[in-house]
């Protein structure tokens, strides 16, 4: 079956482009002596996690315990969880994952540290700890090297916990100054820092310039999207996932309605400099998806020389591809326009 015969809306992944993106990132990391630890939040597919590991990744990154459980069951033997796990309800699920895989958890506070310690005791196995620091994004992360040292002291030599180093997201101008401040403090305290994990596809090709970084966590690079193309880190022909949709109404000369709304594309926008609307239509590059309801996408065709007919199929490059994966029960994988298989998105919807 050809991909353009599939019922719509449907996310379709080009396997050759995926392979190209995976191989390119692995080659970059190998060239610069960086360990690659892909974030599976973008694809949420065991088959692609296994392929990333086969190509040379040292392990994978997950955001939630539920994602880690799916990937551990799929045979991923080394998992970094980059979300602080806090509270008694997390102890048993975390212990379950720790019993199946070499687990490391990134955290920035003592409450999360205590949760991880309890999980390690329950599982009867070691769990690694990375202290997360804030490189300027203003999300999680300790704010100073002193704070990092205090947390590391609590983890270092604390029963089944093993302090392994630092994590930050995304890396930026404040990454190197933090590491420079932390290095002498940790040396003086006799606490070894084996891992410095940085991440984010927008800054991926500069990762080797971050002094002291040992590991790169990237997710979006597997598919790329309108945001990473807009950021200049990928070309349109690198984009591996497109949503195929159908024009279902043409109420006016300049308006089309497509069968892809917020349940299909998500409501994520891109930076104004990258473009307007909720995705880029390949066949009509001057069209703007101006509005989404759950099932309707409203498209402004005012600037288009040619305009689609009712029933016509279009392909949309999503603004933010990770959330699109999360919205779909299954994705179609194809090659040269032909369907190869349909895969359930096994780790979708893991909010816990
Ligand atoms: C902690 C962490 N690491 C790595 C990534 C991967 O970022 P990207 O998808 O830009 O490669 C993310 C993405 O949200 C993240 O939150």
């Amino acid at each position: 079956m050809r991909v353009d015969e599939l019922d719509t809306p449907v996310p379709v992944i080009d396997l050759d482009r995926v392979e190209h993106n995976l191989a390119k990132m692995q080659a970059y990391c190998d060239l610069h002596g960086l360990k690659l630890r892909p974030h599976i939040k973008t694809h949420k597919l065991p088959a692609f996690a296994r392929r990333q590991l086969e190509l040379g990744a040292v392990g994978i990154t997950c955001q939630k315990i539920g994602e880690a459980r799916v990937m551990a069951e799929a045979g991923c033997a080394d998992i970094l969880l980059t979300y602080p796990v806090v509270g008694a309800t997390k102890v048993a699920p975390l212990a379950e994952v720790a019993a199946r895989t070499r687990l490391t958890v990134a955290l920035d506070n003592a409450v999360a540290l205590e949760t991880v310690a309890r999980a390690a005791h329950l599982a009867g196995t070691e769990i690694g700890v990375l202290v997360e620091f804030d490189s300027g994004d203003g999300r999680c992360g300790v704010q100073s090297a002193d704070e990092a040292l205090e947390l590391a002291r609590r983890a270092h030599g604390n029963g089944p916990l093993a302090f392994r180093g630092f994590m930050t997201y995304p890396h930026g101008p404040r990454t190197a100054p933090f590491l420079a401040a932390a290095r002498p403090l940790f040396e003086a305290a006799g606490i070894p820092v084996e891992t410095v994990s940085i991440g984010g596809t927008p800054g991926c090709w500069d990762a080797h310039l971050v002094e002291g970084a040992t590991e790169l966590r990237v997710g979006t690079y597997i598919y790329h999207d309108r945001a990473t193309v807009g950021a200049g880190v990928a070309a349109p022909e690198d984009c591996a996932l497109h949503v195929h949709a159908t024009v279902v109404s043409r109420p006016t000369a300049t308006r089309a309605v497509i069968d892809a709304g917020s349940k299909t594309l998500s409501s994520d926008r891109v930076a104004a400099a990258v473009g307007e609307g909720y995705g880029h239509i390949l066949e009509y590059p001057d069209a703007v998806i101006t509005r989404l309801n759950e099932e309707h996408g409203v498209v402004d065709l005012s600037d288009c020389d040619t305009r689609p007919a009712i029933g016509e199929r279009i392909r949309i490059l999503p603004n933010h591809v990770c959330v699109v994966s999360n919205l779909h029960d299954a994705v179609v994988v194809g090659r040269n326009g032909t369907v190869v298989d349909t895969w359930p998105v096994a780790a979708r919807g893991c909010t816990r």
Side-chain angles (χ1 to χ4, degrees):
M1 188 182 192
R2 306 281 307 162
V3 295
D4 50 19
E5 292 166 353
L6 291 163
D7 191 20
T8 65
V10 60
V12 179
I13 295 163
D14 182 310
L15 287 170
D16 289 336
R17 290 185 180 191
V18 163
E19 194 62 21
H20 166 84
N21 294 337
L22 297 188
K24 184 174 172 185
M25 188 62 73
Q26 189 63 55
Y28 167 80
C29 287
D30 291 347
L31 177 69
H32 295 291
L34 282 166
K35 291 175 179 163
L36 177 59
R37 184 180 285 279
H39 205 312
I40 61 83
K41 72 190 286 289
T42 307
H43 57 74
K44 305 180 193 295
L45 296 167
F48 282 159
R50 281 194 289 263
R51 185 68 189 134
Q52 288 168 316
L53 292 165
E54 257 169 35
L55 287 170
V58 293
I60 58 163
T61 311
C62 297
Q63 206 75 335
K64 288 302 184 93
I65 299 173
E67 293 176 345
R69 186 187 301 120
V70 171
M71 293 299 157
E73 279 167 9
C76 298
D78 188 325
I79 298 179
L80 168 63
L81 205 60
T82 48
Y83 193 88
V85 283
V86 169
T89 57
K90 303 294 181 198
V91 172
L94 194 63
E96 207 185 296
V97 174
R100 303 185 77 123
T101 188
R102 179 184 189 267
L103 182 66
T104 307
V105 180
L107 49 83
D108 68 356
N109 64 77
V111 182
L113 189 84
E114 181 55 30
T115 307
V116 178
R118 285 177 60 193
H121 277 291
L122 183 63
T125 187
E126 182 178 273
I127 299 182
V129 169
L130 297 185
V131 172
E132 179 173 3
F133 66 95
D134 184 356
S135 282
D137 186 50
R139 195 169 73 177
C140 294
V142 296
Q143 301 296 304
S144 70
D146 287 320
E147 256 187 272
L149 180 61
E150 199 186 312
L151 267 180
R153 277 192 206 281
R154 289 177 188 236
H156 187 59
N158 175 356
L161 292 188
F163 171 76
R164 295 196 176 130
F166 303 126
M167 184 287 265
T168 194
Y169 174 80
H171 57 274
R174 277 170 50 187
T175 306
F178 171 90
L179 294 172
R183 203 166 296 121
L185 286 184
F186 278 70
E187 267 168 27
I191 302 180
V193 176
E194 121 203 352
T195 298
V196 175
S197 182
I198 63 172
T201 298
C204 66
W205 307 126
D206 291 334
H208 64 290
L209 302 176
V210 179
E211 212 185 316
T214 65
E215 175 179 287
L216 179 62
R217 303 180 322 278
V218 273
T220 308
Y221 82 104
I222 185 169
Y223 297 153
H224 286 295
D225 57 19
R226 199 175 179 209
T228 62
V229 171
V233 296
E237 57 272 20
D238 297 327
C239 294
L241 185 152
H242 294 93
V243 172
H244 291 218
T246 300
V247 176
V248 294
S249 175
R250 284 292 317 278
T252 73
T254 56
R255 191 193 314 155
V257 179
I258 56 174
D259 61 354
S262 59
K263 274 169 68 183
T264 300
L265 295 172
S266 92
S267 304
D268 278 19
R269 307 294 292 250
V270 274
V274 173
E276 294 176 274
Y278 295 95
H280 174 74
I281 301 178
L282 301 194
E283 291 79 5
Y284 298 95
D286 297 321
V288 181
I289 306 173
T290 52
R291 199 177 101 200
L292 298 181
N293 296 131
E294 280 172 84
E295 312 294 1
H296 298 75
V298 178
V299 185
D300 180 2
L301 303 168
S302 305
D303 292 336
C304 300
D305 295 335
T306 59
R307 294 171 184 180
I310 294 172
E312 196 172 318
R313 297 171 66 101
I314 55 166
R315 291 165 301 162
I316 302 163
L317 175 63
N319 283 349
H320 180 193
V321 76
C322 311
V323 281
V324 171
S325 291
N326 193 51
L327 289 171
H328 295 271
D329 289 334
V331 287
V332 172
V333 290
R335 188 169 273 127
N336 298 324
T338 300
V339 172
V340 171
D341 208 349
T342 299
W343 291 344
V345 185
R348 72 163 289 215
C350 296
T351 51
R352 293 193 286 266

